[in-house]
PDB file of all heavy atoms in Angstrom:
ATOM      1  N   GLN A  55      81.977 179.957  75.745  1.00  0.00           N
ATOM      2  CA  GLN A  55      83.223 179.238  76.002  1.00  0.00           C
ATOM      3  C   GLN A  55      83.717 178.451  74.788  1.00  0.00           C
ATOM      4  O   GLN A  55      84.893 178.116  74.723  1.00  0.00           O
ATOM      5  CB  GLN A  55      83.042 178.312  77.206  1.00  0.00           C
ATOM      6  CG  GLN A  55      82.783 179.077  78.500  1.00  0.00           C
ATOM      7  CD  GLN A  55      82.618 178.181  79.707  1.00  0.00           C
ATOM      8  OE1 GLN A  55      81.524 177.728  79.988  1.00  0.00           O
ATOM      9  NE2 GLN A  55      83.688 177.914  80.427  1.00  0.00           N
ATOM     10  N   HIS A 158      73.687 180.874  79.635  1.00  0.00           N
ATOM     11  CA  HIS A 158      74.889 180.502  80.401  1.00  0.00           C
ATOM     12  C   HIS A 158      75.770 181.750  80.490  1.00  0.00           C
ATOM     13  O   HIS A 158      76.815 181.854  79.851  1.00  0.00           O
ATOM     14  CB  HIS A 158      75.606 179.340  79.712  1.00  0.00           C
ATOM     15  CG  HIS A 158      76.579 178.608  80.591  1.00  0.00           C
ATOM     16  ND1 HIS A 158      76.493 177.256  80.837  1.00  0.00           N
ATOM     17  CD2 HIS A 158      77.673 179.024  81.274  1.00  0.00           C
ATOM     18  CE1 HIS A 158      77.489 176.884  81.632  1.00  0.00           C
ATOM     19  NE2 HIS A 158      78.222 177.939  81.909  1.00  0.00           N
ATOM     20  N   TRP A 159      75.284 182.737  81.205  1.00  0.00           N
ATOM     21  CA  TRP A 159      76.076 183.876  81.670  1.00  0.00           C
ATOM     22  C   TRP A 159      76.363 184.984  80.671  1.00  0.00           C
ATOM     23  O   TRP A 159      77.030 185.948  81.026  1.00  0.00           O
ATOM     24  CB  TRP A 159      77.411 183.413  82.267  1.00  0.00           C
ATOM     25  CG  TRP A 159      77.287 182.533  83.465  1.00  0.00           C
ATOM     26  CD1 TRP A 159      76.152 182.181  84.136  1.00  0.00           C
ATOM     27  CD2 TRP A 159      78.364 181.891  84.166  1.00  0.00           C
ATOM     28  NE1 TRP A 159      76.447 181.368  85.187  1.00  0.00           N
ATOM     29  CE2 TRP A 159      77.806 181.171  85.232  1.00  0.00           C
ATOM     30  CE3 TRP A 159      79.750 181.867  83.982  1.00  0.00           C
ATOM     31  CZ2 TRP A 159      78.572 180.429  86.124  1.00  0.00           C
ATOM     32  CZ3 TRP A 159      80.506 181.125  84.869  1.00  0.00           C
ATOM     33  CH2 TRP A 159      79.922 180.411  85.927  1.00  0.00           C
ATOM     34  N   ASN A 202      71.918 178.843  83.909  1.00  0.00           N
ATOM     35  CA  ASN A 202      73.025 178.135  84.550  1.00  0.00           C
ATOM     36  C   ASN A 202      73.533 178.891  85.778  1.00  0.00           C
ATOM     37  O   ASN A 202      73.849 180.082  85.695  1.00  0.00           O
ATOM     38  CB  ASN A 202      74.186 178.005  83.555  1.00  0.00           C
ATOM     39  CG  ASN A 202      75.392 177.326  84.180  1.00  0.00           C
ATOM     40  OD1 ASN A 202      75.347 176.141  84.524  1.00  0.00           O
ATOM     41  ND2 ASN A 202      76.470 178.083  84.368  1.00  0.00           N
ATOM     42  N   GLU A 203      73.639 178.196  86.883  1.00  0.00           N
ATOM     43  CA  GLU A 203      74.286 178.681  88.101  1.00  0.00           C
ATOM     44  C   GLU A 203      73.960 180.145  88.446  1.00  0.00           C
ATOM     45  O   GLU A 203      74.850 181.002  88.451  1.00  0.00           O
ATOM     46  CB  GLU A 203      75.815 178.528  87.998  1.00  0.00           C
ATOM     47  CG  GLU A 203      76.270 177.086  87.907  1.00  0.00           C
ATOM     48  CD  GLU A 203      77.755 176.910  88.233  1.00  0.00           C
ATOM     49  OE1 GLU A 203      78.457 177.917  88.435  1.00  0.00           O
ATOM     50  OE2 GLU A 203      78.208 175.759  88.311  1.00  0.00           O
ATOM     51  N   ASN A 341      75.301 171.252  89.787  1.00  0.00           N
ATOM     52  CA  ASN A 341      76.703 171.342  89.353  1.00  0.00           C
ATOM     53  C   ASN A 341      77.554 171.212  90.612  1.00  0.00           C
ATOM     54  O   ASN A 341      77.246 171.834  91.633  1.00  0.00           O
ATOM     55  CB  ASN A 341      77.009 172.702  88.708  1.00  0.00           C
ATOM     56  CG  ASN A 341      76.281 172.908  87.389  1.00  0.00           C
ATOM     57  OD1 ASN A 341      75.518 172.060  86.937  1.00  0.00           O
ATOM     58  ND2 ASN A 341      76.519 174.050  86.773  1.00  0.00           N
ATOM     59  N   TYR A 343      81.785 170.701  92.073  1.00  0.00           N
ATOM     60  CA  TYR A 343      83.224 170.541  91.794  1.00  0.00           C
ATOM     61  C   TYR A 343      84.058 170.254  93.029  1.00  0.00           C
ATOM     62  O   TYR A 343      84.986 169.465  92.983  1.00  0.00           O
ATOM     63  CB  TYR A 343      83.780 171.826  91.148  1.00  0.00           C
ATOM     64  CG  TYR A 343      83.317 172.031  89.736  1.00  0.00           C
ATOM     65  CD1 TYR A 343      82.104 172.672  89.471  1.00  0.00           C
ATOM     66  CD2 TYR A 343      84.063 171.575  88.660  1.00  0.00           C
ATOM     67  CE1 TYR A 343      81.661 172.848  88.173  1.00  0.00           C
ATOM     68  CE2 TYR A 343      83.633 171.747  87.348  1.00  0.00           C
ATOM     69  CZ  TYR A 343      82.428 172.382  87.116  1.00  0.00           C
ATOM     70  OH  TYR A 343      81.989 172.549  85.822  1.00  0.00           O
ATOM     71  N   TRP A 380      90.663 177.311  93.253  1.00  0.00           N
ATOM     72  CA  TRP A 380      89.505 177.027  94.120  1.00  0.00           C
ATOM     73  C   TRP A 380      89.104 175.556  94.108  1.00  0.00           C
ATOM     74  O   TRP A 380      88.306 175.117  94.913  1.00  0.00           O
ATOM     75  CB  TRP A 380      88.299 177.873  93.668  1.00  0.00           C
ATOM     76  CG  TRP A 380      87.983 177.714  92.198  1.00  0.00           C
ATOM     77  CD1 TRP A 380      88.485 178.458  91.166  1.00  0.00           C
ATOM     78  CD2 TRP A 380      87.119 176.740  91.585  1.00  0.00           C
ATOM     79  NE1 TRP A 380      87.991 178.013  89.956  1.00  0.00           N
ATOM     80  CE2 TRP A 380      87.154 176.963  90.186  1.00  0.00           C
ATOM     81  CE3 TRP A 380      86.324 175.695  92.077  1.00  0.00           C
ATOM     82  CZ2 TRP A 380      86.430 176.190  89.275  1.00  0.00           C
ATOM     83  CZ3 TRP A 380      85.598 174.927  91.174  1.00  0.00           C
ATOM     84  CH2 TRP A 380      85.659 175.180  89.797  1.00  0.00           C
ATOM     85  N   GLU A 408      77.102 169.292  85.752  1.00  0.00           N
ATOM     86  CA  GLU A 408      78.525 169.619  85.644  1.00  0.00           C
ATOM     87  C   GLU A 408      79.292 168.936  86.751  1.00  0.00           C
ATOM     88  O   GLU A 408      78.845 168.915  87.901  1.00  0.00           O
ATOM     89  CB  GLU A 408      78.779 171.132  85.764  1.00  0.00           C
ATOM     90  CG  GLU A 408      78.466 171.923  84.528  1.00  0.00           C
ATOM     91  CD  GLU A 408      78.868 173.393  84.646  1.00  0.00           C
ATOM     92  OE1 GLU A 408      79.874 173.698  85.302  1.00  0.00           O
ATOM     93  OE2 GLU A 408      78.132 174.228  84.086  1.00  0.00           O
ATOM     94  N   TRP A 450      82.044 168.047  82.908  1.00  0.00           N
ATOM     95  CA  TRP A 450      82.471 169.352  82.426  1.00  0.00           C
ATOM     96  C   TRP A 450      83.936 169.215  82.092  1.00  0.00           C
ATOM     97  O   TRP A 450      84.713 168.980  82.990  1.00  0.00           O
ATOM     98  CB  TRP A 450      82.247 170.459  83.470  1.00  0.00           C
ATOM     99  CG  TRP A 450      82.622 171.782  82.877  1.00  0.00           C
ATOM    100  CD1 TRP A 450      83.848 172.397  82.912  1.00  0.00           C
ATOM    101  CD2 TRP A 450      81.785 172.616  82.072  1.00  0.00           C
ATOM    102  NE1 TRP A 450      83.822 173.555  82.189  1.00  0.00           N
ATOM    103  CE2 TRP A 450      82.575 173.717  81.654  1.00  0.00           C
ATOM    104  CE3 TRP A 450      80.453 172.534  81.640  1.00  0.00           C
ATOM    105  CZ2 TRP A 450      82.059 174.725  80.838  1.00  0.00           C
ATOM    106  CZ3 TRP A 450      79.960 173.542  80.840  1.00  0.00           C
ATOM    107  CH2 TRP A 450      80.754 174.624  80.452  1.00  0.00           C
ATOM    108  N   GLU A 457      87.882 179.551  79.812  1.00  0.00           N
ATOM    109  CA  GLU A 457      87.448 179.419  81.200  1.00  0.00           C
ATOM    110  C   GLU A 457      87.267 180.815  81.826  1.00  0.00           C
ATOM    111  O   GLU A 457      87.933 181.196  82.777  1.00  0.00           O
ATOM    112  CB  GLU A 457      88.442 178.537  81.966  1.00  0.00           C
ATOM    113  CG  GLU A 457      88.195 178.316  83.445  1.00  0.00           C
ATOM    114  CD  GLU A 457      86.810 177.783  83.832  1.00  0.00           C
ATOM    115  OE1 GLU A 457      86.090 177.261  82.974  1.00  0.00           O
ATOM    116  OE2 GLU A 457      86.454 177.944  85.010  1.00  0.00           O
ATOM    117  N   TRP A 458      86.372 181.595  81.227  1.00  0.00           N
ATOM    118  CA  TRP A 458      85.986 182.898  81.771  1.00  0.00           C
ATOM    119  C   TRP A 458      87.208 183.737  82.161  1.00  0.00           C
ATOM    120  O   TRP A 458      88.126 183.883  81.374  1.00  0.00           O
ATOM    121  CB  TRP A 458      85.002 182.704  82.940  1.00  0.00           C
ATOM    122  CG  TRP A 458      83.844 181.818  82.570  1.00  0.00           C
ATOM    123  CD1 TRP A 458      83.603 180.564  83.045  1.00  0.00           C
ATOM    124  CD2 TRP A 458      82.792 182.085  81.620  1.00  0.00           C
ATOM    125  NE1 TRP A 458      82.463 180.050  82.463  1.00  0.00           N
ATOM    126  CE2 TRP A 458      81.955 180.958  81.591  1.00  0.00           C
ATOM    127  CE3 TRP A 458      82.457 183.173  80.795  1.00  0.00           C
ATOM    128  CZ2 TRP A 458      80.823 180.864  80.777  1.00  0.00           C
ATOM    129  CZ3 TRP A 458      81.322 183.084  79.983  1.00  0.00           C
ATOM    130  CH2 TRP A 458      80.529 181.951  79.989  1.00  0.00           C
ATOM    131  N   PHE A 466      89.633 172.104  81.138  1.00  0.00           N
ATOM    132  CA  PHE A 466      88.749 171.108  81.749  1.00  0.00           C
ATOM    133  C   PHE A 466      88.336 170.008  80.762  1.00  0.00           C
ATOM    134  O   PHE A 466      87.554 169.137  81.113  1.00  0.00           O
ATOM    135  CB  PHE A 466      87.454 171.776  82.223  1.00  0.00           C
ATOM    136  CG  PHE A 466      87.544 172.532  83.536  1.00  0.00           C
ATOM    137  CD1 PHE A 466      87.989 173.841  83.579  1.00  0.00           C
ATOM    138  CD2 PHE A 466      87.154 171.946  84.730  1.00  0.00           C
ATOM    139  CE1 PHE A 466      88.039 174.552  84.777  1.00  0.00           C
ATOM    140  CE2 PHE A 466      87.204 172.646  85.928  1.00  0.00           C
ATOM    141  CZ  PHE A 466      87.647 173.942  85.963  1.00  0.00           C
TER     142      PHE A 466
HETATM  143  C1  NOJ B   1      80.684 176.335  86.154  1.00  0.00           C
HETATM  144  C2  NOJ B   1      80.295 177.006  84.878  1.00  0.00           C
HETATM  145  O1  NOJ B   1      78.962 176.712  84.567  1.00  0.00           O
HETATM  146  C3  NOJ B   1      81.208 176.714  83.704  1.00  0.00           C
HETATM  147  O2  NOJ B   1      80.928 177.637  82.700  1.00  0.00           O
HETATM  148  C4  NOJ B   1      82.651 176.759  84.157  1.00  0.00           C
HETATM  149  O3  NOJ B   1      83.529 176.628  83.079  1.00  0.00           O
HETATM  150  C5  NOJ B   1      82.866 175.669  85.171  1.00  0.00           C
HETATM  151  N1  NOJ B   1      82.036 175.948  86.333  1.00  0.00           N
HETATM  152  C6  NOJ B   1      84.323 175.519  85.644  1.00  0.00           C
HETATM  153  O4  NOJ B   1      84.725 176.667  86.300  1.00  0.00           O
END
Side-chain angles (χ1 to χ4, degrees):
Q55 295 181 273
H158 198 123
W159 298 355
N202 178 66
E203 296 198 355
N341 293 1
Y343 288 86
W380 53 270
E408 282 186 34
W450 184 269
E457 178 54 17
W458 308 111
F466 281 84

